[in-house]
Amino acid sequence: MGRGWRPLIVGGAVAAGTFALAQAQIFAPSAPAGGAVAGGDVYRGETIYQRECAGCHGAGGDGGVGPALAGAGLDAATVLAIVRSGRGVMPAGLVSEAQEPDIVAYVVSLSAP
Ligand code: HEC
């Protein structure tokens, strides 16, 4: 093929690379919830829960201002989404990203039916 093709090929490669980069940046922060919370420590999570959550959800998760979590059958993705974003009067960002796996592990274990 003649030299006339080269800009096209280079342009295509740049476009593909940009697309891949854009995708990586869009999807990296919201990696699959299950993966993001893997390895949480239930016991550390309980400490965080008593400090940040018990005031509204009760020390045993039996509810208060917020709904009961004990026995609610919540999964990790749901808990993570609500902890990150808040809901209703529940504020977002109560726990740091580093604490998310622990709090999610605890709430999931607490909410097991
Ligand atoms: C200021 C009070 C308050 C605090 C603090 C609070 N929550 Fe909540 N939470 C609520 C309320 C109210 C709702 C119900 C929101 C709605 O559905 O409108 C809720 C809902 C939830 C739900 C969804 C329950 C369901 O059955 O759908 C989960 C899970 C949850 N909270 C977890 C937590 C965790 C974990 C913490 C601590 C990091 C926490 N909350 C701290 C008030 C609070």
Side-chain angles (χ1 to χ4, degrees), residues 28-103:
S30 55
V37 298
D41 184 307
V42 172
Y43 298 99
R44 279 200 309 256
E46 180 170 13
T47 306
I48 300 163
Y49 177 88
Q50 296 304 339
R51 195 173 60 228
E52 304 291 347
C53 321
C56 288
H57 290 283
D62 37 0
V65 175
L69 302 179
L74 299 159
D75 62 42
T78 304
V79 175
L80 181 64
I82 293 172
V83 166
R84 278 191 180 161
S85 313
R87 184 188 281 184
V89 299
M90 177 174 156
L94 287 168
V95 304
S96 71
E97 207 171 308
Q99 294 173 323
E100 282 175 351
D102 299 337
I103 191 67

